[in-house]
Amino acid sequence: MTKGIRNWQAVQQEVLRRINAREWPPGALIPNEADLATEFGCARATVNRALRAVAEAGLLDRKRRAGTRVALQPVARATLSIAVIRQEVEDKGARYDYRLLERKLARPPAAVSRALKTGAAALLHVRALHFADDVPYALEDRWINPAGAAGALDQPFDTTSANEWLLEHAPYTGGDIALSAHSATAAEAQDLGCAERAALFALTRNTWNGDTAVTRVRLLFAHGYAMQADL
């Protein structure tokens, strides 16, 4: 019996220990929250918070009225950070440079409006190139929602990238990321200095602040780019 656990992080660690030690094997029904709270000597709400965290990590299956079981097939979840490209380049020991290609207020393609749920509203379109040691590193194609990024319309983005400005000035609460392979078009190949139809790493990201869209960006990275995530 474990007594005297007072915070949810400590409960979480004990739950993880029991799962990893197979004291609670895959598929096992674990004790209910009330029994665990009594065993640990803490509030039931503390146990609930800990179990939610373990479930969010993919190690527990929680079903109303059916109890909580250890997942039969745990789901590993990767954590990706929104990087400042300048910092990413400099961390590789390279010299960073940036070039604005286009900046205009325009009505975006229907796919962008649908993704951001902005209807017929005009958004700020910014295209730019990021360089590492004078070699193209990433092509940025971004739509910014002025309603979700106050002050964006006043920014020329000629010396500071939209990537960097938004991370510093536009709060966000969530979003989604899609990773894919992409064959370079003739225009993209010219910008990135690669062959037409060359295989590129593409990242498309939407970010939101509550129910308000902030931005949608598509980044095409030059050949040889690799992304790392923490599990």
Side-chain angles (χ1 to χ4, degrees), residues 14 74 92 168:
E14 175 59 18
K92 296 176 184 292
E168 185 175 349

Side-chain angles (χ1 to χ4, degrees), residues 202-226:
L203 181 153
T204 303
R205 181 176 64 240
N206 302 306
T207 52
W208 298 77
N209 187 8
D211 294 329
T212 303
V214 176
T215 185
R216 177 181 176 88
V217 63
R218 188 164 196 227
L219 294 167
L220 293 178
F221 292 92
H223 180 72
Y225 180 82

Side-chain angles (χ1 to χ4, degrees), residues 55-121:
E56 287 167 2
L59 297 174
L60 289 175
D61 289 329
R62 307 191 76 195
K63 294 183 180 178
R64 199 170 183 180
R65 298 190 180 91
T68 300
R69 292 183 181 274
V70 179
L72 284 170
Q73 296 180 321
V75 177
R77 301 189 180 184
T79 301
L80 293 172
S81 329
I82 297 180
V84 175
I85 297 177
R86 173 185 58 78
Q87 188 63 56
E88 185 175 281
V89 169
E90 292 175 349
D91 285 347
K92 296 176 184 292
R95 184 180 66 260
Y96 174 76
D97 200 4
Y98 163 83
R99 182 192 307 160
L100 178 66
L101 301 177
E102 181 181 18
R103 180 196 180 282
K104 65 180 180 181
L105 191 65
R107 184 171 177 179
V112 174
S113 297
R114 284 196 302 269
L116 297 181
K117 301 178 183 178
T118 51

Side-chain angles (χ1 to χ4, degrees), residues 6-187:
R6 299 298 182 189
N7 59 66
W8 71 265
Q9 292 94 338
V11 174
Q12 179 188 28
Q13 289 304 310
E14 175 59 18
V15 169
L16 290 173
R17 186 196 68 77
R18 295 183 185 189
I19 292 172
N20 293 331
R22 293 298 193 265
E23 293 179 19
W24 293 345
L29 182 67
I30 73 170
N32 62 41
E33 291 180 4
D35 289 342
L36 287 173
T38 299
E39 178 184 351
F40 296 149
C42 64
R44 181 171 175 174
T46 302
V47 173
N48 178 272
R49 177 67 182 86
L51 295 184
R52 280 194 288 116
V54 179
E56 287 167 2
L59 297 174
L60 289 175
D61 289 329
R62 307 191 76 195
K63 294 183 180 178
R64 199 170 183 180
R65 298 190 180 91
T68 300
R69 292 183 181 274
V70 179
L72 284 170
Q73 296 180 321
V75 177
R77 301 189 180 184
T79 301
L80 293 172
S81 329
I82 297 180
V84 175
I85 297 177
R86 173 185 58 78
Q87 188 63 56
E88 185 175 281
V89 169
E90 292 175 349
D91 285 347
K92 296 176 184 292
R95 184 180 66 260
Y96 174 76
D97 200 4
Y98 163 83
R99 182 192 307 160
L100 178 66
L101 301 177
E102 181 181 18
R103 180 196 180 282
K104 65 180 180 181
L105 191 65
R107 184 171 177 179
V112 174
S113 297
R114 284 196 302 269
L116 297 181
K117 301 178 183 178
T118 51
L123 305 180
L124 184 60
H125 188 207
V126 177
R127 293 180 63 252
L129 263 176
H130 302 264
F131 296 84
D133 288 340
D134 297 324
V135 176
Y137 181 81
L139 177 62
E140 177 180 355
D141 190 330
R142 182 185 295 274
W143 292 89
I144 302 171
N145 180 18
L153 291 178
D154 299 324
Q155 302 304 312
F157 297 122
D158 52 351
T159 57
T160 300
S161 73
N163 164 254
E164 196 161 351
W165 186 87
L166 285 166
L167 284 173
E168 185 175 349
H169 295 94
Y172 66 95
T173 57
D176 57 80
I177 296 176
L179 309 176
S180 62
H182 174 76
S183 295
T185 65

